[in-house]
Amino acid sequence: MAEFLSSLPGAAAQGIIWGLMAIGVYITYRVLDIADLTVDGSFGTGGAVLVICTTSGVNIWLSLLIAFAAGCVAGFVTGIFHTVFGIPAILAGILTQLALYSVNLRILGNKANQTISARNYDLIVSVGNINKSLIMGLVFAVVMIAMLYWFFGTELGHSIRATGCNQSMARANGINTNVNKIIGLVISNGIVALSGALYSQYQGFADVNMGRGAIVIGLAAVIIGEVVFGKIFKNFSLKLFACVIGGIVYYVVISFVLWLGLNANDLKLFSALVVALFLGIPYWKNKVSGKKVKRSEGAENA
């Protein structure tokens, strides 16, 4: 048990970083109502750009900004595929994700991975300094949530939310839904790439496959946050914060399962089962509550 408890700070630090990625997923999945699989590629793009820029002498904060911009470009490409070419959103994301594999390889100098050491560079987060990683991760989360809360409270932000709620009604009110979809995808993948840039620093390297399965972890964090805090957190900013908490809970559970002796090769399977379980919980709740309502109505009629 002591071994498990000692792993909790590291799990929390990773959870916060992935929670930031989950915020990006939340924007497309809940706000825009789009299943965007670009994140599996843009997460790795952010990490690759950060490592290459930093090791080339660029300031770490500027490298982080460039990584964010690279993710925005990936989201823009998906948005163009979807709105201009008429490709379904999920397929557009798959196409961009596929293309990003080659792009990420190019960025990494045609190598599968590139390292970045905290000994040689002043990294923002690092596995060698968990306390700093926790603090900086929370700072990034708070600043990101505050900025998104302000943005989605503007006229443009409301129009994006309206696009996700009801496209037909949004168009009837003169809202350009295609532009809003592109903006949402750009913001989402920019945040995902930012998370990937932080994660590459934390683990000490960028890998061309580091984003594989990222959408599953992001969805897990979003769904866990909604299931656990859905009735408590009604405010938009609190819903975003629930994604971060969901990321922490997810990695704490992963650490616990690994401590119990689960084969690390089965983590992807376990992650898929966790997401399926939490996605099914709201459905089961509605089904049970529906049966209770029918029974009460039947008893009143009798």
Side-chain angles (χ1 to χ4, degrees):
M1 181 58 71
E3 182 183 349
F4 167 67
L5 293 175
S6 65
S7 70
L8 290 182
Q14 286 192 75
I16 293 172
I17 294 173
W18 283 96
L20 285 171
M21 194 275 282
I23 290 175
V25 173
Y26 183 90
I27 292 173
T28 51
Y29 182 62
R30 287 303 189 202
V31 177
L32 279 180
D33 194 26
I34 289 176
D36 179 32
L37 297 182
T38 312
V39 297
D40 277 20
S42 57
F43 186 82
T45 301
V49 170
L50 183 284
V51 170
I52 295 303
C53 286
T54 304
T55 54
S56 299
V58 180
N59 178 272
I60 188 71
W61 293 96
L62 181 57
S63 298
L64 205 64
L65 184 61
I66 296 172
F68 174 81
C72 290
V73 172
F76 179 77
V77 172
T78 299
I80 293 298
F81 281 162
H82 177 48
T83 59
V84 177
F85 290 86
I87 301 172
I90 189 167
L91 183 55
I94 292 173
L95 291 174
T96 307
Q97 173 202 136
L98 183 65
L100 283 175
Y101 182 87
S102 296
V103 172
N104 294 345
L105 268 177
R106 288 281 189 175
I107 294 172
L108 291 171
N110 293 319
K111 296 180 181 179
N113 54 67
Q114 291 277 13
T115 60
I116 183 170
S117 174
R119 298 176 182 176
N120 302 323
Y121 303 96
D122 186 19
L123 302 183
I124 299 169
V125 294
S126 172
V127 70
N129 193 336
I130 298 297
N131 292 333
K132 180 183 177 182
S133 298
L134 283 169
I135 294 171
M136 293 306 298
L138 286 173
V139 169
F140 269 92
V142 171
V143 171
M144 184 62 67
I145 290 170
M147 291 176 66
L148 289 174
Y149 181 72
W150 167 80
F151 174 76
F152 281 102
T154 63
E155 183 178 350
L156 176 59
H158 278 295
S159 69
I160 293 174
R161 296 171 74 173
T163 299
C165 289
N166 191 320
Q167 287 191 54
S168 299
M169 185 62 71
R171 282 194 292 268
N173 282 277
I175 295 174
N176 191 325
T177 56
N178 284 341
V179 171
N180 284 343
K181 287 179 183 179
I182 293 174
I183 293 173
L185 287 165
V186 165
I187 295 172
S188 170
N189 284 280
I191 295 172
V192 170
L194 180 69
S195 173
L198 289 173
Y199 190 66
S200 65
Q201 295 176 65
Y202 181 82
Q203 66 181 0
F205 65 91
D207 188 274
V208 70
N209 291 312
M210 64 182 284
R212 183 170 294 178
I215 185 64
V216 176
I217 299 176
L219 282 174
V222 171
I223 301 303
I224 290 172
E226 288 181 343
V227 170
V228 177
F229 302 102
K231 292 184 178 180
I232 305 173
F233 292 172
K234 300 296 183 181
N235 183 276
F236 182 72
S237 61
L238 292 178
K239 289 180 179 179
L240 295 178
F241 186 63
C243 295
V244 178
I245 299 177
I248 295 173
V249 171
Y250 174 83
Y251 265 92
V252 168
V253 172
I254 290 294
S255 297
F256 180 71
V257 171
L258 288 175
W259 176 73
L260 289 177
L262 177 74
N263 191 324
N265 294 329
D266 296 330
L267 275 181
K268 297 294 185 184
L269 173 62
F270 177 77
S271 299
L273 292 175
V274 168
V275 174
L277 176 64
F278 278 95
L279 280 172
I281 288 176
Y283 171 77
W284 294 333
K285 281 185 177 180
N286 292 333
K287 204 167 185 179
V288 171
S289 61
K291 288 182 178 179
K292 288 181 179 179
V293 170
K294 287 182 180 179
R295 287 175 183 174
S296 61
E297 290 178 351
E300 290 176 1
N301 293 332

